[in-house]
Amino acid sequence: MTTQSSCEHIEAITAVKKPKRHECEECIKTGDSWVHLRTCQTCGATLCCDSSPNRHASRHAQASGHPVIASAEPGERWLYCYPDEAFADY
Ligand SMILES: [Zn+2]
Ligand SMILES: [Zn+2]
Ligand SMILES: [Zn+2]
């Protein structure tokens, strides 16, 4: 993953929210599976990535307007802003 220019949403984040649990909050309710996990930097919800069947993180961002997610995968330290399509390492 290459680092691209940040955006004001990402720059506003001073403390990156970490996942409370390593599971998708929505998939766990229905027994679905996921591929990777992302943590919403506005509300702290941990949801599944776009490679997962349900794409809960993207759907959450669209429905809630929460712009920035962080990877919740061990060893990955990056942020992504949906409206600006911006990445940043942290
Ligand atoms: Zn942004
Ligand atoms: Zn999910
Ligand atoms: Zn959220």
PDB file of all heavy atoms in Angstrom, residues 59-81:
ATOM      1  N   ARG A  59     -20.456   0.317   4.001  1.00  0.00           N
ATOM      2  CA  ARG A  59     -21.878   0.619   4.170  1.00  0.00           C
ATOM      3  C   ARG A  59     -22.107   1.507   5.385  1.00  0.00           C
ATOM      4  O   ARG A  59     -22.940   2.410   5.360  1.00  0.00           O
ATOM      5  CB  ARG A  59     -22.666  -0.683   4.278  1.00  0.00           C
ATOM      6  CG  ARG A  59     -22.754  -1.395   2.932  1.00  0.00           C
ATOM      7  CD  ARG A  59     -23.158  -2.837   3.070  1.00  0.00           C
ATOM      8  NE  ARG A  59     -24.449  -3.010   3.737  1.00  0.00           N
ATOM      9  CZ  ARG A  59     -24.961  -4.181   4.076  1.00  0.00           C
ATOM     10  NH1 ARG A  59     -24.280  -5.285   3.812  1.00  0.00           N
ATOM     11  NH2 ARG A  59     -26.114  -4.257   4.663  1.00  0.00           N
ATOM     12  N   HIS A  60     -21.343   1.263   6.440  1.00  0.00           N
ATOM     13  CA  HIS A  60     -21.428   2.102   7.635  1.00  0.00           C
ATOM     14  C   HIS A  60     -21.012   3.535   7.300  1.00  0.00           C
ATOM     15  O   HIS A  60     -21.668   4.494   7.712  1.00  0.00           O
ATOM     16  CB  HIS A  60     -20.527   1.525   8.725  1.00  0.00           C
ATOM     17  CG  HIS A  60     -20.385   2.396   9.929  1.00  0.00           C
ATOM     18  ND1 HIS A  60     -21.364   2.499  10.885  1.00  0.00           N
ATOM     19  CD2 HIS A  60     -19.378   3.227  10.324  1.00  0.00           C
ATOM     20  CE1 HIS A  60     -20.965   3.351  11.827  1.00  0.00           C
ATOM     21  NE2 HIS A  60     -19.765   3.802  11.515  1.00  0.00           N
ATOM     22  N   ALA A  61     -19.934   3.695   6.546  1.00  0.00           N
ATOM     23  CA  ALA A  61     -19.449   5.033   6.199  1.00  0.00           C
ATOM     24  C   ALA A  61     -20.494   5.784   5.378  1.00  0.00           C
ATOM     25  O   ALA A  61     -20.736   6.975   5.595  1.00  0.00           O
ATOM     26  CB  ALA A  61     -18.137   4.929   5.425  1.00  0.00           C
ATOM     27  N   GLN A  62     -21.124   5.099   4.457  1.00  0.00           N
ATOM     28  CA  GLN A  62     -22.138   5.740   3.622  1.00  0.00           C
ATOM     29  C   GLN A  62     -23.363   6.102   4.441  1.00  0.00           C
ATOM     30  O   GLN A  62     -23.935   7.186   4.296  1.00  0.00           O
ATOM     31  CB  GLN A  62     -22.545   4.807   2.478  1.00  0.00           C
ATOM     32  CG  GLN A  62     -21.485   4.711   1.392  1.00  0.00           C
ATOM     33  CD  GLN A  62     -21.886   3.758   0.281  1.00  0.00           C
ATOM     34  OE1 GLN A  62     -22.943   3.138   0.323  1.00  0.00           O
ATOM     35  NE2 GLN A  62     -21.024   3.634  -0.714  1.00  0.00           N
ATOM     36  N   ALA A  63     -23.789   5.189   5.303  1.00  0.00           N
ATOM     37  CA  ALA A  63     -25.026   5.405   6.052  1.00  0.00           C
ATOM     38  C   ALA A  63     -24.858   6.448   7.150  1.00  0.00           C
ATOM     39  O   ALA A  63     -25.769   7.230   7.427  1.00  0.00           O
ATOM     40  CB  ALA A  63     -25.491   4.081   6.653  1.00  0.00           C
ATOM     41  N   SER A  64     -23.686   6.479   7.775  1.00  0.00           N
ATOM     42  CA  SER A  64     -23.488   7.323   8.948  1.00  0.00           C
ATOM     43  C   SER A  64     -22.794   8.633   8.618  1.00  0.00           C
ATOM     44  O   SER A  64     -22.877   9.588   9.393  1.00  0.00           O
ATOM     45  CB  SER A  64     -22.645   6.569   9.981  1.00  0.00           C
ATOM     46  OG  SER A  64     -21.333   6.375   9.466  1.00  0.00           O
ATOM     47  N   GLY A  65     -22.071   8.664   7.496  1.00  0.00           N
ATOM     48  CA  GLY A  65     -21.263   9.834   7.188  1.00  0.00           C
ATOM     49  C   GLY A  65     -19.959   9.881   7.955  1.00  0.00           C
ATOM     50  O   GLY A  65     -19.269  10.900   7.934  1.00  0.00           O
ATOM     51  N   HIS A  66     -19.599   8.802   8.625  1.00  0.00           N
ATOM     52  CA  HIS A  66     -18.314   8.735   9.316  1.00  0.00           C
ATOM     53  C   HIS A  66     -17.232   8.489   8.267  1.00  0.00           C
ATOM     54  O   HIS A  66     -17.238   7.428   7.646  1.00  0.00           O
ATOM     55  CB  HIS A  66     -18.321   7.605  10.354  1.00  0.00           C
ATOM     56  CG  HIS A  66     -19.324   7.820  11.458  1.00  0.00           C
ATOM     57  ND1 HIS A  66     -19.674   6.831  12.362  1.00  0.00           N
ATOM     58  CD2 HIS A  66     -20.041   8.927  11.793  1.00  0.00           C
ATOM     59  CE1 HIS A  66     -20.574   7.325  13.214  1.00  0.00           C
ATOM     60  NE2 HIS A  66     -20.814   8.588  12.879  1.00  0.00           N
ATOM     61  N   PRO A  67     -16.291   9.421   8.079  1.00  0.00           N
ATOM     62  CA  PRO A  67     -15.438   9.347   6.895  1.00  0.00           C
ATOM     63  C   PRO A  67     -14.244   8.410   6.984  1.00  0.00           C
ATOM     64  O   PRO A  67     -13.847   7.828   5.975  1.00  0.00           O
ATOM     65  CB  PRO A  67     -14.965  10.794   6.719  1.00  0.00           C
ATOM     66  CG  PRO A  67     -15.007  11.370   8.102  1.00  0.00           C
ATOM     67  CD  PRO A  67     -16.156  10.698   8.789  1.00  0.00           C
ATOM     68  N   VAL A  68     -13.645   8.285   8.168  1.00  0.00           N
ATOM     69  CA  VAL A  68     -12.311   7.672   8.238  1.00  0.00           C
ATOM     70  C   VAL A  68     -12.348   6.341   8.970  1.00  0.00           C
ATOM     71  O   VAL A  68     -12.964   6.218  10.035  1.00  0.00           O
ATOM     72  CB  VAL A  68     -11.299   8.627   8.929  1.00  0.00           C
ATOM     73  CG1 VAL A  68      -9.919   7.988   8.993  1.00  0.00           C
ATOM     74  CG2 VAL A  68     -11.238   9.956   8.193  1.00  0.00           C
ATOM     75  N   ILE A  69     -11.668   5.351   8.385  1.00  0.00           N
ATOM     76  CA  ILE A  69     -11.476   4.066   9.046  1.00  0.00           C
ATOM     77  C   ILE A  69      -9.984   3.821   9.213  1.00  0.00           C
ATOM     78  O   ILE A  69      -9.173   4.387   8.493  1.00  0.00           O
ATOM     79  CB  ILE A  69     -12.068   2.892   8.231  1.00  0.00           C
ATOM     80  CG1 ILE A  69     -11.525   2.910   6.801  1.00  0.00           C
ATOM     81  CG2 ILE A  69     -13.594   2.917   8.281  1.00  0.00           C
ATOM     82  CD1 ILE A  69     -11.714   1.612   6.058  1.00  0.00           C
ATOM     83  N   ALA A  70      -9.661   2.956  10.152  1.00  0.00           N
ATOM     84  CA  ALA A  70      -8.294   2.456  10.295  1.00  0.00           C
ATOM     85  C   ALA A  70      -8.320   0.961  10.071  1.00  0.00           C
ATOM     86  O   ALA A  70      -9.316   0.302  10.369  1.00  0.00           O
ATOM     87  CB  ALA A  70      -7.753   2.754  11.686  1.00  0.00           C
ATOM     88  N   SER A  71      -7.234   0.432   9.541  1.00  0.00           N
ATOM     89  CA  SER A  71      -7.118  -1.014   9.497  1.00  0.00           C
ATOM     90  C   SER A  71      -7.106  -1.556  10.916  1.00  0.00           C
ATOM     91  O   SER A  71      -6.444  -1.010  11.791  1.00  0.00           O
ATOM     92  CB  SER A  71      -5.841  -1.448   8.793  1.00  0.00           C
ATOM     93  OG  SER A  71      -5.718  -2.856   8.887  1.00  0.00           O
ATOM     94  N   ALA A  72      -7.866  -2.624  11.148  1.00  0.00           N
ATOM     95  CA  ALA A  72      -7.861  -3.280  12.455  1.00  0.00           C
ATOM     96  C   ALA A  72      -7.041  -4.562  12.411  1.00  0.00           C
ATOM     97  O   ALA A  72      -7.117  -5.380  13.319  1.00  0.00           O
ATOM     98  CB  ALA A  72      -9.296  -3.579  12.900  1.00  0.00           C
ATOM     99  N   GLU A  73      -6.257  -4.724  11.326  1.00  0.00           N
ATOM    100  CA  GLU A  73      -5.441  -5.923  11.199  1.00  0.00           C
ATOM    101  C   GLU A  73      -4.123  -5.735  11.945  1.00  0.00           C
ATOM    102  O   GLU A  73      -3.509  -4.657  11.875  1.00  0.00           O
ATOM    103  CB  GLU A  73      -5.146  -6.199   9.723  1.00  0.00           C
ATOM    104  CG  GLU A  73      -6.394  -6.517   8.908  1.00  0.00           C
ATOM    105  CD  GLU A  73      -7.101  -7.759   9.430  1.00  0.00           C
ATOM    106  OE1 GLU A  73      -6.436  -8.787   9.631  1.00  0.00           O
ATOM    107  OE2 GLU A  73      -8.321  -7.678   9.660  1.00  0.00           O
ATOM    108  N   PRO A  74      -3.673  -6.772  12.668  1.00  0.00           N
ATOM    109  CA  PRO A  74      -2.403  -6.655  13.382  1.00  0.00           C
ATOM    110  C   PRO A  74      -1.263  -6.290  12.426  1.00  0.00           C
ATOM    111  O   PRO A  74      -1.161  -6.841  11.336  1.00  0.00           O
ATOM    112  CB  PRO A  74      -2.191  -8.061  13.956  1.00  0.00           C
ATOM    113  CG  PRO A  74      -3.558  -8.672  14.002  1.00  0.00           C
ATOM    114  CD  PRO A  74      -4.311  -8.071  12.849  1.00  0.00           C
ATOM    115  N   GLY A  75      -0.458  -5.332  12.814  1.00  0.00           N
ATOM    116  CA  GLY A  75       0.701  -4.948  12.021  1.00  0.00           C
ATOM    117  C   GLY A  75       0.413  -3.931  10.940  1.00  0.00           C
ATOM    118  O   GLY A  75       1.336  -3.433  10.306  1.00  0.00           O
ATOM    119  N   GLU A  76      -0.856  -3.644  10.678  1.00  0.00           N
ATOM    120  CA  GLU A  76      -1.200  -2.635   9.672  1.00  0.00           C
ATOM    121  C   GLU A  76      -1.531  -1.335  10.390  1.00  0.00           C
ATOM    122  O   GLU A  76      -2.328  -1.313  11.316  1.00  0.00           O
ATOM    123  CB  GLU A  76      -2.402  -3.090   8.831  1.00  0.00           C
ATOM    124  CG  GLU A  76      -2.091  -4.272   7.952  1.00  0.00           C
ATOM    125  CD  GLU A  76      -3.227  -4.576   6.980  1.00  0.00           C
ATOM    126  OE1 GLU A  76      -4.221  -3.828   6.940  1.00  0.00           O
ATOM    127  OE2 GLU A  76      -3.100  -5.578   6.263  1.00  0.00           O
ATOM    128  N   ARG A  77      -0.905  -0.274   9.926  1.00  0.00           N
ATOM    129  CA  ARG A  77      -1.095   1.028  10.566  1.00  0.00           C
ATOM    130  C   ARG A  77      -1.398   2.062   9.496  1.00  0.00           C
ATOM    131  O   ARG A  77      -0.519   2.807   9.068  1.00  0.00           O
ATOM    132  CB  ARG A  77       0.175   1.411  11.351  1.00  0.00           C
ATOM    133  CG  ARG A  77       0.451   0.467  12.515  1.00  0.00           C
ATOM    134  CD  ARG A  77       1.811   0.759  13.153  1.00  0.00           C
ATOM    135  NE  ARG A  77       1.857   2.087  13.738  1.00  0.00           N
ATOM    136  CZ  ARG A  77       1.422   2.376  14.961  1.00  0.00           C
ATOM    137  NH1 ARG A  77       0.903   1.436  15.720  1.00  0.00           N
ATOM    138  NH2 ARG A  77       1.501   3.596  15.418  1.00  0.00           N
ATOM    139  N   TRP A  78      -2.628   2.047   9.023  1.00  0.00           N
ATOM    140  CA  TRP A  78      -3.015   3.062   8.040  1.00  0.00           C
ATOM    141  C   TRP A  78      -4.460   3.476   8.243  1.00  0.00           C
ATOM    142  O   TRP A  78      -5.274   2.750   8.810  1.00  0.00           O
ATOM    143  CB  TRP A  78      -2.787   2.571   6.609  1.00  0.00           C
ATOM    144  CG  TRP A  78      -3.383   1.242   6.268  1.00  0.00           C
ATOM    145  CD1 TRP A  78      -2.737   0.036   6.238  1.00  0.00           C
ATOM    146  CD2 TRP A  78      -4.747   0.956   5.881  1.00  0.00           C
ATOM    147  NE1 TRP A  78      -3.607  -0.962   5.875  1.00  0.00           N
ATOM    148  CE2 TRP A  78      -4.844  -0.427   5.650  1.00  0.00           C
ATOM    149  CE3 TRP A  78      -5.888   1.740   5.707  1.00  0.00           C
ATOM    150  CZ2 TRP A  78      -6.038  -1.036   5.255  1.00  0.00           C
ATOM    151  CZ3 TRP A  78      -7.078   1.127   5.321  1.00  0.00           C
ATOM    152  CH2 TRP A  78      -7.127  -0.252   5.098  1.00  0.00           C
ATOM    153  N   LEU A  79      -4.740   4.670   7.771  1.00  0.00           N
ATOM    154  CA  LEU A  79      -6.070   5.274   7.826  1.00  0.00           C
ATOM    155  C   LEU A  79      -6.555   5.492   6.399  1.00  0.00           C
ATOM    156  O   LEU A  79      -5.753   5.728   5.495  1.00  0.00           O
ATOM    157  CB  LEU A  79      -6.010   6.621   8.552  1.00  0.00           C
ATOM    158  CG  LEU A  79      -5.528   6.584  10.009  1.00  0.00           C
ATOM    159  CD1 LEU A  79      -5.101   7.977  10.453  1.00  0.00           C
ATOM    160  CD2 LEU A  79      -6.614   6.042  10.917  1.00  0.00           C
ATOM    161  N   TYR A  80      -7.859   5.421   6.213  1.00  0.00           N
ATOM    162  CA  TYR A  80      -8.432   5.676   4.894  1.00  0.00           C
ATOM    163  C   TYR A  80      -9.676   6.545   5.058  1.00  0.00           C
ATOM    164  O   TYR A  80     -10.502   6.300   5.938  1.00  0.00           O
ATOM    165  CB  TYR A  80      -8.808   4.360   4.215  1.00  0.00           C
ATOM    166  CG  TYR A  80      -9.472   4.553   2.871  1.00  0.00           C
ATOM    167  CD1 TYR A  80      -8.737   5.051   1.792  1.00  0.00           C
ATOM    168  CD2 TYR A  80     -10.810   4.258   2.675  1.00  0.00           C
ATOM    169  CE1 TYR A  80      -9.337   5.246   0.553  1.00  0.00           C
ATOM    170  CE2 TYR A  80     -11.421   4.442   1.434  1.00  0.00           C
ATOM    171  CZ  TYR A  80     -10.672   4.940   0.380  1.00  0.00           C
ATOM    172  OH  TYR A  80     -11.268   5.137  -0.838  1.00  0.00           O
ATOM    173  N   CYS A  81      -9.792   7.559   4.203  1.00  0.00           N
ATOM    174  CA  CYS A  81     -10.965   8.430   4.203  1.00  0.00           C
ATOM    175  C   CYS A  81     -11.812   8.100   2.986  1.00  0.00           C
ATOM    176  O   CYS A  81     -11.326   8.192   1.848  1.00  0.00           O
ATOM    177  CB  CYS A  81     -10.527   9.889   4.169  1.00  0.00           C
ATOM    178  SG  CYS A  81     -11.931  11.014   4.008  1.00  0.00           S
TER     179      CYS A  81
END
